[in-house]
Amino acid sequence: MPRHLTTERLALFGTLLATFGELHPLCDHWVQGSKTAMRKRLYGEDLVHADGSPATPYSPRPTMTTSALGRRAVAFHVASVGLVT
């Protein structure tokens, strides 16, 4: 591989790394809401509603596990960062 291509690729990598390194905290504080930030840490088999409130076994509203709610919050976070960048 020619030397100038390696230098250009390293420069592009450094630029992208710096850009995304600065945009990620911005997205965490301005794009992502506090509820999403808290829900990203959820895991387990307990049943909850989409708003995060605990569910009873016979709840008429749709339920999911806390792990599913946490994965949903992470997916929203990734999508929001992707849209901003």
Side-chain angles (χ1 to χ4, degrees):
M1 178 179 319
R3 185 178 178 131
H4 71 280
L5 286 178
T6 303
T7 305
E8 288 175 2
R9 288 181 181 171
L10 283 173
L12 176 62
F13 176 74
T15 302
L16 292 175
L17 183 65
T19 301
F20 289 122
E22 293 301 318
L23 285 177
H24 188 256
L26 176 76
C27 292
D28 277 348
H29 292 286
W30 292 98
V31 177
Q32 168 185 263
S34 60
K35 289 182 182 179
T36 302
M38 289 186 306
R39 291 177 185 161
K40 287 191 306 185
R41 299 181 200 107
L42 294 177
Y43 64 92
E45 297 300 319
D46 298 324
L47 292 179
V48 293
H49 298 289
D51 63 0
S53 62
T56 61
Y58 303 106
S59 179
R61 294 173 28 203
T63 61
M64 66 186 81
T65 64
T66 50
S67 290
L69 184 60
R71 286 191 302 273
R72 183 182 284 191
V74 169
F76 178 77
H77 171 72
V78 170
S80 65
V81 170
L83 287 173
V84 171
T85 57

